[in-house]
Amino acid sequence: MGFSLDGVGLTHANGFRALRGVDLRVAAGERVALIGASGAGKTTLLRVLAASLRPSEGRVRLLGGEPWVDSPRALRRLRSRIGLVHQAPPIPPRQRVVTAVLAGRLGQWPVWKALASLLLPLDPAGAARELARLDMAERLYARCDRLSGGQLQRVALARVLYQQPELLLADEPVSAMDPALSELTVALLNEEALRRGVTLVASLHAVDLALRHFPRVVGVKEGAIAFDLPAAEVTEALLRDLYAAEGSLPLAGEISGVTAAPGLPPLRCA
Amino acid sequence: MSAAVRDPAALPRLGWTLLALVLLWPLLRLTDFRPAALFEAGNLQAMGHFLGGFLPPETSPEFLAMLAKAMVETLAMATAGIALSMVLAVPLGLLMTRSLSISRLGPGRGGWVGQILRGLARGVLAVLRGVPELVWALLFVRVFGLGAAAGVLALGITYGGMLGKVYGEILESTDARPARILLEAGSGRLAALCYGLLPNAAQELVSYTVYRWECAVRASVVMGFVGAGGLGQLMDQSMKMLNGGEAASILATFLVLVLAADGLSGLLRRRLA
């Protein structure tokens, strides 16, 4: 299973070239961090992996299927096996947390079940279980417009955990959380992937989080893959080159393995 | 002002405003719109005389009993008509909503099918509401004979066209992202509608539907002319007999119904907020 991208390029409708010549092979159960400056193409890459953006060129194979070759039915089934945690989760403000989490299984539930669950939540225990892992169980019946940005991100995460996807994708899942919570959340994602043996790809703004938690790190620069290495082999020179446009390395806390050189600009918190 | 800070949108804005005014002028001329005529002495007197005939409103118990019966008939007709129109409007409105299109994701294959279906739905809705309800009513009277059935069907069809178009447009102008991420996770159209669009759009959909129900109550006056019963028929009789007092009571009933619709809409909106 896992996935592979061969020569994937993507040009947006406005002519912006978001991805160029991306080759990436990830085996089932691998855990990969995507890092790179903002605007480098991490989100676009994740959306291609979620079968929600169709590349302009190249070949995409996900979980043994080919999203843009298979039938629309097969594509829908494939999508229900992929879960993407969004950076700014677009959850309707008037929706309750329990409904937002249960929505994770809409791709698996028949329509009658989805509609019945709106009248009376069909699996509140299941939603509560995932929320509890994120320390959010007591907000089960709260409305989403009563939550902070970090809490909303955890609801979105709980939704994808509840979906139980075979390919777990996360687009800067901790961007609205403080460093301690970020650490816990990224650890949780990894633990989930390990426990269920599923593939995990997460883009992270904080380089140190990526290096600490993920065995494999992929650097993205200007829509192309700059490096694809085991975390231990990522050198400071590579990172400095990756973030040349931003001027400093975005970090959540201390960086291990890579020591800050005296000439580096001051560290900035992500 | 230097060229660098000048608002680039200012000139086009001025141009469009002037163009709108230039277009408006001949239209006002064409409709012979002279508001001053309202205040000419002779005209004021004529209007005063006409309105004076409405006073005092008729309040005899027999008439009030008739009025109450007609009001219930009108409410039944309007409600049945709106229910029928929703049966038409909901599926067509959903079909028209671009943000619930699965083939647009990606974009995937079969997008042209969706485009054709959306165009067809739009066309059907235009035909339904393009023909005024009176014409539909005259058509159906030939099938069902004089009575409320023709009125309900006529209301249902015309209002179905209006509701469907506006449902589609409300859903399109609602934040599409919640529904899109659900579709991207494999959800179906109906589930994405209920979990992604309705939480944000329900208030507006309900208030527009209640407003249309209010319009249906008023439209029943027109239905009265084809013998559809209710307040419309009563109004028709009173006007023909030049009984201003009865007409005034009927108008007061309309006002009460409109206020009630307003209250209902406010209540539902608060419940959904």
Side-chain angles (χ1 to χ4, degrees):
Chain A
M1 291 298 202
F3 64 82
S4 67
L5 304 180
D6 291 299
V8 163
L10 194 145
T11 308
H12 283 301
N14 60 11
F16 178 71
R17 201 150 165 65
L19 293 178
R20 56 190 90 206
V22 173
D23 293 307
L24 188 63
R25 268 157 215 284
V26 173
E30 267 197 278
R31 290 173 292 125
V32 180
L34 292 181
I35 59 172
S38 46
K42 303 189 295 288
T43 299
T44 309
L45 184 53
L46 281 167
R47 293 195 60 206
V48 167
L49 292 178
S52 53
L53 272 184
R54 179 190 205 152
S56 336
E57 67 243 22
R59 188 165 182 211
V60 183
R61 301 179 63 83
L62 305 168
L63 302 174
E66 273 198 72
W68 309 110
V69 176
D70 298 342
S71 70
R73 257 181 103 79
L75 174 57
R76 240 191 86 182
R77 259 201 311 278
L78 177 66
R79 280 178 176 145
S80 71
R81 294 161 63 203
I82 304 175
L84 171 59
V85 183
H86 289 258
Q87 180 181 8
I91 293 174
R94 277 190 275 270
Q95 196 159 61
R96 291 189 302 172
V97 170
V98 60
T99 315
V101 174
L102 293 181
R105 295 234 178 123
L106 287 181
Q108 298 150 41
W109 284 356
V111 176
W112 66 265
K113 198 169 173 185
L115 297 185
S117 185
L118 275 182
L119 299 176
L120 187 69
L122 288 185
D123 186 16
R129 203 160 43 237
E130 302 304 342
L131 287 166
R133 300 170 70 187
L134 294 151
D135 201 19
M136 285 278 293
E138 79 284 3
R139 307 310 301 269
L140 183 62
Y141 288 109
R143 266 170 51 146
C144 288
D145 54 3
R146 304 267 186 276
L147 304 180
S148 71
Q151 287 176 322
L152 205 58
Q153 248 178 358
R154 282 185 277 166
V155 170
L157 200 62
R159 170 192 280 186
V160 174
L161 291 178
Y162 184 70
Q163 185 188 347
Q164 301 208 312
E166 291 161 56
L167 174 54
L168 178 52
L169 306 170
D171 187 11
E172 305 213 5
V174 296
S175 59
M177 300 182 195
D178 61 56
L181 192 58
S182 302
E183 196 76 42
L184 283 172
T185 308
V186 173
L188 176 78
L189 275 173
N190 277 277
E191 176 210 305
E192 170 82 5
L194 272 175
R195 189 171 59 82
R196 294 189 35 243
V198 298
T199 315
L200 168 66
V201 181
S203 76
L204 290 167
H205 194 64
V207 177
D208 50 335
L209 273 177
L211 294 177
R212 249 197 319 272
H213 290 280
F214 290 81
R216 181 171 167 190
V217 175
V218 171
V220 183
K221 190 180 182 187
E222 287 163 9
I225 290 184
F227 60 81
D228 178 358
L229 293 167
E233 290 172 29
V234 177
T235 63
E236 199 197 320
L238 282 173
L239 292 176
R240 275 165 66 106
D241 183 48
L242 194 63
Y243 288 97
E246 295 207 346
S248 64
L249 289 186
L251 302 172
E254 294 279 309
I255 205 163
S256 59
V258 180
T259 44
L264 266 183
L267 296 182
R268 200 181 59 186
C269 264
Chain B
M1 210 189 320
S2 74
V5 294
R6 195 183 297 136
D7 182 354
L11 209 59
R13 205 176 288 155
L14 181 70
W16 285 110
T17 311
L18 288 178
L19 183 68
L21 288 175
V22 165
L23 285 178
L24 186 60
W25 180 245
L27 296 182
L28 288 179
R29 299 293 303 172
L30 195 69
T31 51
D32 207 15
F33 179 70
R34 289 178 297 113
L38 279 175
F39 302 101
E40 282 161 22
N43 293 344
L44 274 181
Q45 205 183 3
M47 280 198 299
H49 189 73
F50 180 72
L51 291 177
F54 281 61
L55 293 174
E58 176 66 49
T59 52
S60 71
E62 310 88 78
F63 180 72
L64 286 186
M66 233 159 64
L67 191 61
K69 186 169 160 285
M71 186 174 96
V72 172
E73 270 177 20
T74 292
L75 286 177
M77 198 156 66
T79 310
I82 285 290
L84 182 66
S85 70
M86 284 174 76
V87 171
L88 284 172
V90 170
L92 285 170
L94 289 189
L95 198 61
M96 220 177 74
T97 307
R98 264 205 309 263
S99 38
L100 289 175
S101 161
I102 295 180
S103 57
R104 276 168 54 91
L105 299 177
R109 281 188 296 163
W112 59 276
V113 178
Q115 236 162 31
I116 289 176
L117 281 178
R118 279 193 293 278
L120 271 180
R122 199 170 275 279
V124 169
L125 288 171
V127 170
L128 292 183
R129 69 176 192 279
V131 179
E133 58 260 43
L134 185 61
V135 177
W136 286 117
L138 286 171
L139 178 70
F140 293 129
V141 158
R142 278 156 182 69
V143 181
F144 298 98
L146 289 179
V152 167
L153 207 56
L155 272 182
I157 288 184
T158 310
Y159 282 44
M162 297 181 195
L163 281 177
K165 171 197 152 75
V166 178
Y167 283 174
E169 285 174 2
I170 289 176
L171 291 176
E172 291 246 306
S173 57
T174 322
D175 183 5
R177 290 171 309 157
R180 201 187 61 215
I181 65 166
L182 292 174
L183 293 174
E184 284 175 1
S187 142
R189 288 172 66 96
L190 209 54
L193 166 80
C194 294
Y195 283 75
L197 289 183
L198 281 190
N200 285 334
Q203 256 193 322
E204 212 157 329
L205 291 173
V206 162
S207 90
Y208 185 73
T209 309
V210 175
Y211 170 68
R212 267 295 140 201
W213 176 78
E214 182 193 313
C215 293
V217 168
R218 271 193 301 268
S220 72
V221 178
V222 182
M223 296 295 146
F225 291 89
V226 295
L231 289 171
Q233 200 164 6
L234 205 59
M235 181 82 140
D236 189 31
Q237 286 160 7
S238 303
M239 287 300 226
K240 274 181 185 147
M241 293 187 305
L242 297 175
N243 191 331
E246 286 185 9
S249 296
I250 297 171
L251 287 177
T253 313
F254 274 119
L255 187 63
V256 169
L257 288 179
V258 168
L259 287 175
D262 220 29
L264 178 68
S265 167
L267 183 78
L268 289 174
R269 281 174 70 94
R270 268 198 304 282
R271 286 292 302 144
L272 289 170

